[in-house]
Structures are given as C-alpha cells and as structure tokens.
Amino acid sequence: MAQTEKGSRLAGVQVGNIVIPTSGNSSTIISLQPTYGWFVGNGLAVGAGIPFFHVSSGGASATQIGLAPFLRYYIGPSQVKPYLGGSIGVINSSASGSGSNSNTDALYSATGGLAFFINKSVSFDFALSYTGGNTGSVSSLIGGGASSLIPNFPKALNINLGFQVYFPK
C-alpha cells in the first residue's frame, strides 16, 4: 500500500464532528474542515486544515474560520492504518445578535484514529481528538459555558468522521 509513502499527497474533509464536551456544555455541533498535506517521509504527513463553522439561532449567529497546520503519522502497511496527529493554529470567531463580538485566538489538538482504505486512493477516517485553546466570542450562543472552538470545543473529546483522497508522487 503506497498511499502514505514519501512524496505522496492527501486531500480530504472532516465531514462530521460530534462533540462530547468535558466542561459542562451540552451542545452538539456539526462542522466542516477541508485538509491538504504532503508526505515528507514514509507515513509522515504535514499539511493544513481550514476549520469552518456557522450557526444561527433565534436571531443570533456565529461564524468561525481558521488555519490549523497539522502533523500526522500513519502506522503500518495494512489497509486499516492507525494514525496519530497533532495540530496548532488560529481561529477567528465572530458572533452577532444581542451583541456583536469578534476575536482571533490559538487552538491546538491531539488526535488518534484509524484510516480505512477502501481502495488504493481513498480512506474513510474515524478519530478521537482532544482540543484545547481559548476563544470567547460565541460562548453565550453555543451554550453559555466556557468559550468554544470550531471544529472543536476547548477541553473536549471529539469524535471525527471524514475521508481522505491520496495522490501518488
């Protein structure tokens, strides 16, 4: 399986994100995060994702967009490859409704998951990630607890579902 060898590229999207907060917030959020990366070594990819989220409720709305460079390491040569990853980036949050607010802050995450290769070029991914960071502009709209990050809440475990397309070198 040559999908993850040095010189290959990957592009994909996180199409589902079910959030299980660990700090008192009971909201569930679905978001979108396209990614693109290069394999700089066998099994080791570097790239970036663009987390995007929009929600509106009762005349209020919130939008978040950011840039999150990542490292991901795929383990083994099989059609089901475990992987580990990490990301550090920035996200801009803006909210409107009872009051308008906008700010840009840092975010970080650590991820472990499985890539299920259905053929030589496509994998469906299932992962668990922990996200940290601090943004405050949409906290009152999305549950009133601690501040929120999209595609993830700070101090939260996240179940991530998505797919990747792999391009040979």
Side-chain angles (χ1 to χ4, degrees):
M1 307 299 285
Q3 303 96 324
T4 59
E5 71 182 19
K6 183 177 179 178
S8 298
R9 296 165 290 140
L10 65 91
V13 65
Q14 176 184 312
V15 294
N17 185 6
I18 303 162
V19 177
I20 304 168
T22 59
S23 62
N25 193 325
S26 63
S27 299
T28 299
I29 295 175
I30 298 174
S31 63
L32 177 69
Q33 181 171 344
T35 57
Y36 188 83
W38 298 267
F39 285 90
V40 295
N42 289 337
L44 180 62
V46 297
I50 301 172
F52 174 79
F53 173 76
H54 178 79
V55 64
S56 59
S57 175
S61 67
T63 302
Q64 293 183 308
I65 189 163
L67 181 62
F70 68 83
L71 268 171
R72 187 176 300 155
Y73 182 70
Y74 292 82
I75 303 164
S78 69
Q79 284 188 283
V80 177
K81 294 183 185 196
Y83 65 88
L84 298 171
S87 177
I88 297 175
V90 296
I91 197 155
N92 179 271
S93 304
S94 59
S96 63
S98 59
S100 294
N101 192 0
S102 180
N103 63 331
T104 301
D105 291 292
L107 69 123
Y108 61 88
S109 69
T111 303
L114 292 171
F116 298 91
F117 285 88
I118 61 169
N119 62 31
K120 194 173 182 178
S121 300
V122 177
S123 74
F124 286 104
D125 298 353
F126 174 79
L128 207 59
S129 65
Y130 178 83
T131 302
N134 185 29
T135 65
S137 67
V138 296
S139 63
S140 62
L141 177 66
I142 303 180
S147 55
S148 65
L149 283 176
I150 300 305
N152 305 310
F153 279 104
K155 299 179 183 161
L157 292 175
N158 303 279
I159 299 169
N160 302 304
L161 306 171
F163 71 92
Q164 300 288 325
V165 177
Y166 299 81
F167 304 97
K169 55 182 170 174

